[in-house]
Amino acid sequence: MKFEYDVIIVGGGPSGSTTGYILSKNSIDVLIIDKFKFPREKLCGGLLSNKAVKIFQEIYNEDLKLLREKNIINFETNKYKIYCGKKFTGEYFSRNGFNFVERPAFDNYLLQKAKEEGAEILEGEKVLSVDLWKNEVKTSSGKFFKGKYIIGTDGVNSIIRRNFPEKYYNPKKWKFNLAIGYEAFIDREILKSDIKDIIVFFKLIDYGYAWIFPNKEKILAGAGGLIRKNKNNFPKCFDFLFEYLDLKKEDLKELKIKKHLLPFGNFLSYPFFNNTFLIGDAAGFVNPLSGDGIYLALKSANIVADFIIKNLKNEKKNLENLYKKRFFKDLYFELLYLKIIRNLFYSYIKYLPFIPFNFILNKY
């Protein structure tokens, strides 16, 4: 393995792998570093929104049929139910339907796609430090790697982001809009009913919602919301979800509820510094209304990869300003709009007799 590359990508999730895939396909020298060995566990509902499916097909030019054959997409539904607290308020249908992926399999699939195009992959190696002026990273084995560009896709606790100047990244502002999600996978064998639809519960969590997502062999019960708005809401919320699923105490003995942090409106205004870019969760690119992160991971990867390809090939002048314009036009203002909608939505949700979440699921 060499130590100098055109692009070093820290993080091998969907945003990192997709960036590596696009760049490598365009004959750019790429190294992807991830602290885990793939396939690795990833807490996520695994819902591919309509927008995520569309951009996935645009980038990879693949039919979803292949993902179904490989059992990466392992469940589909076009129906979902909405509850306001414990009160059922409506059942809806989506023309496009919803696809659920196994995140360990999906993420590994994208990483292997990047590898097939020529990206070098370094797994099980943690990045310990980064020099944003020299474009260097140091890993847990003491190795140094240098690139013309560094891309941080290393999640909500990104070490690359933490090295950004305070002008670009303010830890207090980041924490202010940080959410927490709790999830539990439940074997279908212990369920008394056959869950085939998406079920969403509002008003159980403040500035967030709870959900039940169907899967082939399991179902996922979860809840997520802004940390600063939720103190002791989550235990009561899960008590209700388990009661809804008619689970008894003996069914819950082996059940593990896992938690993870996620951005929820704390996207950065300038996720780029010198020759370093942040994308995906590392930049806070998660839908602040629905919590969807896969679509924005793929979209932000596409934007950054396109910029680097043009810059390395020197096709246009003043590319940095062009990148900023595209970032604000195609990504930032969409996130800002969704954050405004989110704040209005959750501020007045207690006055709503029903929840128009069908609009959110189908459009966003």
Side-chain angles (χ1 to χ4, degrees), residues 116-331:
E116 288 168 11
E117 292 296 335
E120 285 197 47
I121 314 294
L122 181 58
E123 299 176 68
E125 193 91 4
K126 186 175 181 180
V127 170
L128 297 180
S129 63
V130 57
D131 188 324
L132 301 183
W133 294 103
K134 295 181 180 179
N135 301 328
E136 286 183 349
V137 298
K138 180 184 178 182
T139 68
S140 50
S141 65
K143 297 173 183 174
F144 285 87
F145 296 97
K146 184 178 178 66
K148 295 175 184 175
Y149 293 96
I150 293 175
I151 303 177
T153 71
D154 48 339
V156 66
N157 294 314
S158 169
I159 189 170
I160 307 299
R161 186 189 64 249
R162 295 201 303 269
N163 278 272
F164 268 46
E166 192 170 330
K167 176 184 175 182
Y168 298 84
Y169 163 59
N170 185 317
K172 289 183 179 180
K173 287 183 178 179
W174 178 266
K175 187 177 180 180
F176 187 75
N177 273 302
L178 200 60
I180 190 165
Y182 290 85
E183 294 177 323
F185 282 99
I186 304 164
D187 289 331
R188 285 187 175 273
E189 295 176 356
I190 66 173
L191 295 177
K192 295 179 176 60
S193 57
D194 187 14
I195 305 293
K196 293 183 178 180
D197 312 318
I198 295 172
I199 309 172
V200 179
F201 303 86
F202 288 97
K203 301 186 182 181
L204 298 179
I205 294 296
D206 295 323
Y207 269 71
Y209 57 93
W211 61 86
I212 294 173
F213 285 169
N215 204 282
K216 187 176 181 179
E217 298 175 351
K218 302 178 181 181
I219 65 148
L220 175 68
L226 281 179
I227 295 173
R228 60 183 168 86
K229 292 286 186 178
N230 290 278
K231 300 300 180 184
N232 300 311
N233 305 35
F234 290 102
K236 291 181 180 179
C237 176
F238 272 90
D239 286 344
F240 171 73
L241 292 178
F242 295 149
E243 181 184 340
Y244 179 89
L245 293 168
D246 200 18
L247 294 175
K248 308 302 179 185
K249 285 186 178 181
E250 55 268 25
D251 298 325
L252 303 176
K253 286 180 180 178
E254 302 298 322
L255 192 65
K256 293 182 179 179
I257 300 175
K258 298 184 179 181
K259 63 181 180 179
H260 59 107
L261 298 174
L262 65 153
F264 200 53
N266 44 0
F267 48 89
L268 302 187
S269 301
Y270 290 92
F272 38 83
F273 174 73
N274 200 20
N275 281 359
T276 301
F277 298 85
L278 296 168
I279 58 176
D281 285 10
F285 296 160
V286 170
N287 188 315
L289 185 56
S290 69
D292 174 29
I294 296 177
Y295 163 69
L296 289 167
L298 302 181
K299 184 173 183 178
S300 58
N302 203 15
I303 292 173
V304 166
D306 184 56
F307 164 76
I308 291 176
I309 290 165
K310 289 177 178 175
N311 205 19
L312 288 175
K313 294 182 178 179
N314 200 26
E315 292 180 359
K316 294 183 179 180
K317 296 179 180 179
N318 206 17
L319 282 167
E320 189 169 335
N321 286 334
L322 288 175
Y323 172 75
K324 289 178 182 178
K325 286 180 181 178
R326 185 174 176 191
F327 163 71
F328 283 108
K329 177 177 176 290
D330 292 351
L331 203 58

